[in-house]
Amino acid sequence: RRRGRTSSLRRSGKETCEMKAEKPRLRSARTGGQRARKIASVCGLLKSPWRGERGGDSAARSLTPPESRGAGLRAGDGSEDEGGECETLALSSQRDAHAHLKANHARMHANLDSVKAAAATALGCARHVAGCVLRAALSSIGLAGSIALDGFVLTVIRLKCSADAWRMFQGVVVTLSIVGSPVQFLARRAARTMLLGLLYAAVAKRARPSHWRDLEFWFRVAPIYVRYKLTQIAALKLTSEKERDQLWAKRHAWGAVKVFELCTSLRGFYLKDGQFIGSRADFVPAAWVDKLSDLQDRVPPVPVCQIEQTLCEEFGVNSWRQLFLQFNARPLASATIAQVHEARLRDGRQVVLKAQYRDQERLCKLDLENLRALAEFLQATDFKFFDLLSVVSEFESQLPLEFDFVREAAMMTLIASNLRRAGILPSRVVVPEAIHGLVSRRSFVMSFVKGARIDNTRQLREWGVNPRDVLHALGDAYGQMLLVDGVVHADPHAGNVLVLPDGRVALIDFGQVKIVPDELRRGLCAFYLAMANDDIVRTGQTLFALGIRLDMDIHAPDAMETAALYANGLLDTRPLPEDVEINPFSSKSPLKTAPITDFPPQLFMVLRTMGLLRSLCIAANVEFCMSAAFRRYAVLGLDKVPLQNTLFPPLTRSQRFFESLRRFSATFR
């Protein structure tokens, strides 16, 4: 048994060695069969009836008929050349695959050419059908309707593109309308509409200038609004604060140029708006302030012949030589409604002539209608945080007064008399004098005052003038005008406030003088007295008593703090907290959380005056609090005999005593 077991183990070991030697040959055969199977699958040779047979060697057997494969299996070890036969079959199958691929490529190119031809035919048919449908639609709406439709489409395109892109688009339209092209029909329609627009513009400028002025205003405003809305949408998609600031800075720079071009090309009342916007560094972006500040006294002048014609019509002369010994044709300044020239009278006095632009009053009235429509639109869509309609209403009431130079000369004389009685003029403030006999509704002559702007810091340093002393003088003058007399110069921008070499301040251009009602004047006295005492609760109460309403609960714990913040930003000049901006474009603005729902129209000129005084403080680079300078004038204003049933009575004896103590202690700070 032991010998038999040993011989059986020897036989099994020998068979195991033979099987190990046979494995590489079988592996090469299977590899060749798999390669042949892949090539055959590409050529489509696997569609044979024996596809999918399985076994240990199915990849190679799938390429041979069942009969041959059965014979090979019966032969057993006699099929030693199976790997070589598979390799030969793989080479032949590869040649057949290349031939089959070439045939497939040829059929593919033929099919692609036929598809291209069919697509071209279909596109031509669709173009023809679309043209027929478009012609039928345009013919159904008539000529006027088609022109209106084309005009609407061109207007949308004009709003979407810049000026350079629009000029390029016009050139492309003209080229396509002349050269034969698939869109020649549409190009000719667009060219026809643009030509009609140019002809209408040429005729309207002469026949209906007011209508053309309205169209030009809206065509200039619409792109500005659309671009800002697109920028607002794009800014919402940005996550980085720096990227948003860069995007808005670029848009503000572009918008400032566009608004400046609108004001200087249309002039009229748009110049007055541009002046006010350019002076509110706390309310508008810095790019707008830098650009629109040039409108204060550097407006592009009109030809001097128009000024001479107005002069001759108003004073009944044939030439300026009948009134003046010398006349400087170069203007000293160009303002909103008038132009100023230096001259010398026959008696040798140096004077200034102020003459209105021709037809300016009628244009300003038309401009106010456009501004009211724009304010209504913005009030309903974007600017819900401020009562814009009250602003326009106040401008409409003040506009006719500004065009009456007889009233301006009378107001200038009245304010000079009030300041002289208060001891402020001529020691600290200077007001020009109107020349008797040379005052009319559209032109008048006044004494010449030479000085420098308050933002000309270099000249002030040469003269040795301290800007803080200038602001103190302005505080005394405006405290007396606003809180005591009730007759205030309401246009103190940098072009209307001159600093003399001796440090005195000259106020010029009294076209916008506000007569403050007595009850409003007393309310302002109580308001500025509370602000000067840093009484937050009393400040909020007097602010609401003046008629200003905020979209918030006035009984909330922080209601008075918010009201005091508005009082500081709108009606005073003291610096705002670092984390607060009144600018509506800023995320730090309280207008976002507590918008102003109601603003009294008669209070807007006070808001404008204080905003311009704040701009003077910024221009002089001096932190100055006007409410502190108004303290003693507020007490004097409350001491005046009040009307019946006033909401703001005079101070009691104890209140007067404490106010005197505050003024006394303030002198030692």
Side-chain angles (χ1 to χ4, degrees):
R1 290 193 194 119
R2 191 178 296 113
R3 289 178 182 174
R5 190 180 302 112
T6 304
S7 62
S8 63
L9 289 175
R10 288 177 180 175
R11 284 196 301 271
S12 62
K14 183 178 181 181
E15 291 175 358
T16 303
C17 292
E18 291 177 355
M19 291 177 63
K20 288 183 179 180
E22 188 70 16
K23 279 184 179 180
R25 189 172 61 85
L26 294 176
R27 189 181 298 113
S28 64
R30 283 198 299 271
T31 304
Q34 290 174 0
R35 190 184 301 115
R37 179 182 174 87
K38 289 181 180 179
I39 298 173
S41 65
V42 175
C43 303
L45 297 178
L46 293 180
K47 296 180 180 180
S48 58
W50 55 86
R51 178 182 177 183
E53 287 190 15
R54 297 186 180 273
D57 204 17
S58 61
R61 289 200 303 269
S62 62
L63 297 177
T64 59
E67 298 80 3
S68 302
R69 198 164 58 247
L73 291 174
R74 286 190 301 269
D77 295 337
S79 56
E80 297 180 356
D81 297 333
E82 184 180 356
E85 293 176 359
C86 288
E87 292 179 358
T88 305
L89 182 59
L91 293 176
S92 61
S93 300
Q94 187 175 4
R95 287 193 297 269
D96 295 341
H98 283 298
H100 191 69
L101 287 176
K102 289 183 180 179
N104 285 341
H105 279 298
R107 286 194 300 271
M108 188 187 306
H109 285 294
N111 293 335
L112 185 60
D113 294 338
S114 61
V115 169
K116 287 182 178 180
T121 304
L123 183 60
C125 294
R127 188 180 299 159
H128 178 70
V129 171
C132 293
V133 172
L134 183 60
R135 287 187 178 89
L138 294 177
S139 61
S140 63
I141 63 176
L143 180 61
S146 63
I147 294 176
L149 179 61
D150 297 342
F152 174 77
V153 174
L154 292 176
T155 302
V156 173
I157 296 174
R158 177 65 182 89
L159 295 178
K160 290 289 186 180
C161 61
S162 61
D164 297 335
W166 173 249
R167 285 191 290 268
M168 185 181 298
F169 173 77
Q170 288 176 325
V172 171
V173 167
V174 173
T175 304
L176 293 178
S177 62
I178 297 174
V179 180
S181 63
V183 293
Q184 187 177 20
F185 169 68
L186 296 177
R188 287 181 176 178
R189 295 192 66 87
R192 182 192 66 180
T193 305
M194 288 190 293
L195 180 61
L196 290 176
L198 293 176
L199 292 176
Y200 174 77
V203 174
K205 283 183 179 180
R206 293 184 175 274
R208 295 286 301 277
S210 60
H211 185 58
W212 171 250
R213 184 179 180 85
D214 295 343
L215 289 178
E216 190 172 1
F217 169 75
W218 289 109
F219 270 105
R220 288 179 179 271
V221 168
I224 299 175
Y225 178 79
V226 171
R227 294 295 179 84
Y228 265 89
K229 292 300 292 184
L230 294 177
T231 304
Q232 184 180 15
I233 296 173
L236 294 176
K237 300 178 181 179
L238 298 177
T239 57
S240 174
E241 187 71 22
K242 183 178 180 181
E243 293 179 355
R244 282 197 296 266
D245 293 342
Q246 292 177 353
L247 181 64
W248 277 115
K250 183 178 179 181
R251 179 56 61 208
H252 290 326
W254 175 87
V257 174
K258 292 300 179 181
V259 174
F260 181 83
E261 292 176 354
L262 185 150
C263 296
T264 54
S265 60
L266 296 181
R267 304 180 75 92
F269 200 79
Y270 305 124
L271 283 175
K272 181 67 67 178
D273 288 342
Q275 287 179 353
F276 178 65
I277 294 173
S279 63
R280 294 305 305 268
D282 59 323
F283 198 75
V284 297
W288 286 46
V289 175
D290 295 339
K291 188 65 178 178
L292 298 181
S293 59
D294 294 339
L295 298 175
Q296 293 174 357
D297 60 352
R298 291 188 286 271
V299 179
V302 300
V304 69
C305 58
Q306 296 185 17
I307 302 300
E308 186 176 0
Q309 185 177 359
T310 302
L311 177 66
C312 295
E313 292 175 357
E314 291 298 311
F315 296 121
V317 296
N318 297 325
S319 174
W320 60 265
R321 293 178 176 83
Q322 297 179 246
L323 298 174
F324 306 110
L325 187 65
Q326 294 178 355
F327 182 80
N328 191 352
R330 185 177 181 180
L332 288 176
S334 299
T336 307
I337 66 172
Q339 196 161 286
V340 179
H341 290 262
E342 183 182 358
R344 187 178 298 275
L345 294 176
R346 290 188 172 273
D347 58 3
R349 287 182 294 173
Q350 193 174 7
V351 295
V352 169
L353 168 68
K354 183 177 181 181
Q356 291 182 20
Y357 304 131
R358 295 183 58 84
D359 204 24
Q360 196 72 4
E361 184 174 2
R362 184 182 62 85
L363 294 179
C364 285
K365 291 180 179 179
L366 295 175
D367 298 343
L368 274 175
E369 295 178 0
N370 291 330
L371 289 176
R372 173 169 286 277
L374 180 61
E376 291 175 353
F377 172 75
L378 294 177
Q379 190 82 56
T381 55
D382 298 283
F383 282 73
K384 298 180 180 180
F385 49 78
F386 194 80
D387 190 4
L388 295 176
L389 296 179
S390 299
V391 176
V392 178
S393 299
E394 180 66 12
F395 271 130
E396 288 175 344
S397 63
Q398 287 290 124
L399 180 64
L401 305 178
E402 191 171 356
F403 281 94
D404 188 359
F405 282 177
V406 176
R407 178 185 181 274
E408 179 177 347
M411 291 295 105
M412 186 169 62
T413 304
L414 176 60
I415 289 177
S417 176
N418 293 335
L419 294 179
R420 185 177 289 107
R421 187 174 60 252
I424 300 174
L425 186 147
S427 60
R428 306 185 67 187
V429 176
V430 176
V431 175
E433 297 180 2
I435 304 300
H436 181 70
L438 294 178
V439 178
S440 67
R441 191 179 186 278
R442 297 174 55 211
S443 179
F444 82 108
V445 181
M446 70 190 84
S447 59
F448 179 75
V449 178
K450 186 176 182 180
R453 289 166 54 113
I454 193 173
D455 54 359
N456 190 355
T457 56
R458 179 180 178 182
Q459 185 65 56
L460 296 185
R461 283 196 302 268
E462 292 180 359
W463 290 343
V465 177
N466 188 355
R468 185 173 293 275
D469 296 337
V470 175
L471 294 176
H472 271 291
L474 283 174
D476 291 338
Y478 273 89
Q480 178 70 29
M481 289 188 291
L482 179 62
L483 304 179
V484 180
D485 300 327
V487 183
V488 57
H489 180 289
D491 197 19
H493 60 75
N496 290 340
V497 178
L498 301 179
V499 181
L500 305 185
D502 56 2
R504 294 183 297 171
V505 181
L507 298 177
I508 60 176
D509 190 2
F510 288 77
Q512 288 193 12
V513 174
K514 175 67 177 176
I515 306 296
V516 183
D518 190 72
E519 186 67 10
L520 177 60
R521 181 189 61 79
R522 299 184 68 85
L524 290 172
C525 289
F527 170 76
Y528 282 111
L529 191 59
M531 288 204 66
N533 296 331
D534 293 328
D535 190 343
I536 295 178
V537 177
R538 184 61 178 166
T539 299
Q541 292 174 349
T542 52
L543 183 73
F544 293 140
L546 290 174
I548 298 176
R549 297 291 180 267
L550 304 179
D551 188 10
M552 63 179 300
D553 184 11
I554 61 174
H555 301 292
D558 59 342
M560 293 305 164
E561 287 81 359
T562 304
L565 184 63
Y566 270 107
N568 182 19
L570 298 178
L571 299 174
D572 199 5
T573 62
R574 70 176 67 187
L576 293 170
E578 295 182 357
D579 57 342
V580 175
E581 294 182 13
I582 301 297
N583 181 3
F585 296 99
S586 174
S587 59
K588 304 177 182 179
S589 176
L591 293 170
K592 303 289 186 181
T593 56
I596 299 175
T597 58
D598 190 12
F599 196 89
Q602 61 181 356
L603 197 59
F604 173 72
M605 296 307 292
V606 181
L607 168 69
R608 170 184 168 83
T609 302
M610 298 308 298
L612 292 175
L613 290 176
R614 177 185 286 273
S615 69
L616 293 181
C617 297
I618 296 174
N621 196 19
V622 175
E623 294 184 359
F624 189 80
C625 180
M626 283 291 173
S627 60
F630 289 172
R631 183 198 301 270
R632 75 185 192 93
Y633 298 101
V635 176
L636 293 175
L638 288 174
D639 285 343
K640 292 184 69 173
V641 179
L643 298 176
Q644 296 180 358
N645 301 325
T646 179
L647 295 175
F648 309 99
L651 297 179
T652 62
R653 182 174 299 178
S654 60
Q655 289 175 337
R656 197 183 314 280
F657 174 73
F658 283 114
E659 285 301 323
S660 61
L661 287 180
R662 289 193 183 97
R663 289 199 302 270
F664 180 75
S665 61
T667 57
F668 294 97
R669 293 178 183 174

